[in-house]
Amino acid sequence: MPWAEAVLVEDGVIAAVGTEKQLFDMVQAGTEVIDLGGRMLLPGFQDPHLHALEAGINETVCFLSAEGAEEVYRQEIAYCLDDQKDVSWFIGVGVSMPALLETVESPMAFLDRLIPDRPAVILDNLGHGAWANTKAMQAVGYLDFQETPGENPPGGLIDRDPVSGRLTGVVFENAQQKLRNAALPPTKGNVSFAFESLLQALDLLAENGITTVSDAGGYWPRGHQEAWIRAEEENLLTVRASNALYLYPDLPFAEQIAEFQKRYSNDPEKLLRFNQAKIYVDGILSQATGALYQPYEASLDLPKDLQRGFLYFQEETLFDYVSALEQLGFQVHFHATGDRGVGLALDAVAQAKKVNSPTDIQHRITHLYLVDKKDVSRFRELNVITDFQLAPSSTNSDTKRYLAGFIGQRAGDLMPARKLYEAGVEMVLSSDWDAEELSPLMKIEAVLTQRDGAFDRVETVIEMMTLNVAKLLQHEDKTGSIEPGKLADFVVLDRNILDIPIDEIGAVNVEATLLGGEPVYDPEGLFK
């Protein structure tokens, strides 16, 4: 990673890197010269795990407090009703489902009183739950579960009042997806709404210096894939995107594999590819749905079948899906938070390697809140990449103290990125936006200032957010570093982040973002 003074770009491709004198000696008269005035030029940031389209949608629907009393929710929903008076489903976001169940005595009845005339669904703040009224639960067939105590839809959980056994209107994990799909079916209007939401998100990505993403939503039954395709076709796509398709636990195996095969795309010359398969192995620790080798704390008083967490798929089905998707050319993007979830993801990759011919496809596991020591060496053996979101909210003492109520002393070893890095495991860093902060610069500062000291070199963290991601997404021959032959995907910063205190990095400004040599964000006109 040598320092350089200048870069020569021809037709969107880096032709040379070196000193000013070297490059001036190479160029012909008429070459445009841009003086950045001492600003810092870096390869564009690459974010391999975010929810861009959903983040755009969430900017436009009713946003509620994560934790509030009945009166708070009553006021917030009443305020939003005027804005959503002409839509068939009321949609909100932001509520913490565990907090809701503690503060609202009967969530479904409460929502029925506020919105009696149409289905209503309010999505949680973590992407793992939803709150619905009676009309919404009826629309997707969930009221039938009232008559079948203990039964749940595939990959999901239907919450019931512990005393009466009645449905509360709160659902967890994949059970929310039917509500989401019903609320936003792929009508022409909804796909246009998704498209406009995506354009809003693309503006924010450009403002943050991000030139490559992997959107981890992938909810193809809602027309999300079509929104991305339209952005590319209309020359409005301002990032390179290697996006995921979401694997539903409640759809038939053969039908879903056929759908994935039809929707797969992996042309390295295009901005947009759909070559990732998003598979949830488990849920999250803060809802006791992350899958663990050892049980959750006894004080939680969980049902016997949930004492070690929750799995979206039966093991054999998970293994079959991973093998089949690998055969189609997909990289599998596993969601796993608990140590058993991580171990099962590794088991699935190992099984795929036995079933399929040798392949250079790399799969990855994201989140990894807990990793058992016996599984550490398997990442290298199986060529699996780790994808961490080391945001302060995930690693600070308050989070550890809170999660200790679920997993006890294991909370002291959350997200062991440093341990895996020192074991030689390949690693990338991502944002999980909009569940977490988007800014790559704030991410760099957060990673470097953690009390546990996960990493201490700015260069290491930059690499995990540029070149390492390019390797993961199979375009390191084109992006990820500033060297001849690669595409001119750049971010311009107002200061040298290697030469300032690390606690100032988050305040550094992105002054321009270039994709293939063309500015996609340039408010000061540096490249005009």
Side-chain angles (χ1 to χ4, degrees):
M1 294 179 285
W3 280 97
E5 293 178 329
V7 57
L8 175 63
V9 176
E10 296 177 352
D11 298 322
V13 178
I14 300 169
V17 182
T19 66
E20 286 186 32
K21 182 179 185 310
Q22 288 171 331
L23 269 58
F24 275 120
D25 288 344
M26 295 173 60
V27 302
Q28 300 176 351
T31 298
E32 182 182 7
V33 178
I34 297 166
D35 185 354
L36 293 180
R39 296 174 177 86
M40 187 180 202
L41 187 74
L42 281 175
F45 293 116
Q46 305 198 16
D47 194 327
H49 180 98
L50 46 64
H51 301 267
L53 195 151
E54 290 172 281
I57 289 175
N58 289 346
E59 287 292 315
T60 62
V61 298
C62 184
F63 197 86
L64 305 179
S65 302
E67 300 181 17
E70 289 192 10
E71 185 57 33
V72 172
Y73 292 133
R74 184 179 293 109
Q75 292 175 0
E76 291 176 337
I77 291 171
Y79 179 80
C80 293
L81 281 171
D82 284 342
D83 292 335
Q84 295 196 33
K85 61 179 179 294
D86 298 324
V87 296
S88 58
W89 277 65
F90 178 91
I91 303 174
V93 297
V95 175
S96 163
M97 294 303 137
L100 173 74
L101 290 168
E102 288 181 3
T103 57
V104 177
E105 185 174 347
S106 177
M108 187 159 63
F110 176 75
L111 206 52
D112 284 343
R113 289 192 294 272
L114 296 177
I115 311 173
D117 57 336
R118 55 185 159 149
V121 60
I122 297 171
L123 309 174
D124 78 346
N125 58 337
L126 297 173
H128 287 262
W131 169 22
N133 68 357
T134 298
K135 284 187 177 294
M137 296 285 278
Q138 185 176 31
V140 297
Y142 284 169
L143 290 185
D144 296 344
F145 285 95
Q146 184 65 67
E147 309 305 321
T148 54
E151 242 185 77
N152 290 291
L157 295 168
I158 304 291
D159 188 69
R160 295 167 170 85
D161 183 274
V163 177
S164 68
R166 304 293 297 174
L167 303 186
T168 65
V170 172
V171 303
F172 294 106
E173 304 307 338
N174 186 68
Q176 65 175 309
Q177 299 301 342
K178 267 196 172 182
L179 290 163
R180 289 174 178 248
N181 291 351
L184 290 170
T187 62
K188 184 177 180 180
N190 283 340
V191 175
S192 292
F193 171 52
F195 171 71
E196 295 297 332
S197 300
L198 174 60
L199 295 186
Q200 290 185 49
L202 290 174
D203 286 342
L204 287 172
L205 293 171
E207 290 173 19
N208 282 276
I210 296 168
T211 55
T212 289
V213 301
S214 182
D215 192 288
Y219 301 112
W220 46 272
R222 297 177 214 157
H224 288 189
Q225 187 178 25
E226 286 71 20
W228 280 93
I229 291 170
R230 179 180 168 188
E232 182 181 42
E233 290 176 344
E234 295 186 12
N235 294 317
L236 296 173
L237 192 57
T238 53
V239 292
R240 304 184 197 282
S242 295
N243 288 350
L245 301 174
Y246 176 82
L247 196 77
Y248 287 86
D250 51 343
L251 293 183
F253 182 94
E255 174 186 314
Q256 194 157 206
I257 288 297
E259 194 72 45
F260 271 57
Q261 184 173 19
K262 180 177 70 175
R263 293 174 178 273
Y264 176 80
S265 63
N266 194 27
D267 184 346
E269 300 305 316
K270 299 187 71 173
L271 288 178
L272 178 62
R273 297 182 286 172
F274 286 91
N275 58 359
Q276 311 282 311
K278 180 69 181 297
I279 296 181
Y280 279 74
V281 180
D282 63 359
I284 53 177
L285 299 180
S286 58
Q287 288 179 178
T289 51
L292 303 179
Y293 283 126
Q294 300 300 321
Y296 282 89
E297 292 295 284
S299 59
L300 296 177
D301 194 26
L302 297 169
K304 186 175 181 180
D305 61 336
L306 293 177
Q307 288 176 2
R308 293 200 302 143
F310 176 79
L311 296 175
Y312 271 58
F313 297 89
Q314 294 183 351
E315 291 183 24
E316 185 176 344
T317 305
L318 174 67
F319 295 172
D320 288 345
Y321 265 124
V322 173
S323 297
L325 290 166
E326 185 180 89
Q327 288 176 13
L328 294 178
F330 282 95
Q331 289 180 278
V332 178
H333 180 171
F334 294 98
H335 164 110
T337 62
D339 48 14
R340 182 164 66 109
V342 171
L344 280 173
L346 292 169
D347 290 345
V349 174
Q351 180 64 22
K353 289 185 178 296
K354 292 179 182 177
V355 172
N356 298 331
S357 300
T359 173
D360 59 357
I361 292 178
Q362 278 190 301
H363 306 299
R364 61 162 148 161
I365 304 176
T366 193
H367 300 314
L368 305 111
Y369 270 73
L370 292 175
V371 179
D372 193 273
K373 61 183 180 181
K374 72 174 180 291
D375 287 325
V376 171
S377 62
R378 301 177 69 204
F379 288 92
R380 291 187 65 186
E381 293 167 4
L382 297 169
N383 197 25
V384 172
I385 294 176
T386 57
D387 172 18
F388 282 94
Q389 301 83 38
L390 298 177
S393 58
S394 301
T395 58
N396 62 27
S397 57
D398 289 341
T399 298
K400 291 181 178 180
R401 192 177 304 111
Y402 176 69
L403 289 180
F406 292 81
I407 58 175
Q409 294 182 350
R410 288 168 288 183
D413 196 24
L414 288 179
M415 305 184 84
R418 182 76 187 198
K419 182 187 299 182
L420 290 168
Y421 178 75
E422 290 177 345
V425 176
E426 290 190 55
M427 188 172 298
V428 297
L429 299 178
S430 61
S431 68
D432 200 13
W433 180 58
D434 65 338
E436 298 287 356
E437 171 64 48
L438 175 63
S439 167
L441 293 160
M442 292 183 68
K443 170 76 72 178
I444 293 170
E445 178 180 320
V447 171
L448 293 168
T449 55
Q450 284 182 19
R451 181 176 298 177
D452 293 343
F455 299 101
D456 52 16
R457 296 184 71 248
V458 181
E459 295 91 336
T460 300
V461 180
I462 291 173
E463 193 169 2
M464 291 179 180
M465 299 170 69
T466 54
L467 186 57
N468 285 14
V469 183
K471 292 176 181 176
L472 165 66
L473 299 180
Q474 302 172 307
H475 60 176
E476 72 272 21
D477 59 326
K478 297 178 181 295
T479 72
S481 57
I482 300 176
E483 54 186 313
K486 292 196 174 185
L487 297 166
D489 293 0
F490 300 145
V491 58
V492 180
L493 307 179
D494 68 349
R495 280 173 283 169
N496 178 358
I497 61 174
L498 298 176
D499 197 32
I500 61 175
I502 57 175
D503 59 2
E504 295 180 11
I505 293 176
V508 169
N509 292 317
V510 171
E511 299 214 338
T513 305
L514 281 73
L515 186 75
E518 295 296 323
V520 294
Y521 175 72
D522 186 18
E524 301 300 322
L526 292 174
F527 292 87
K528 293 179 181 176

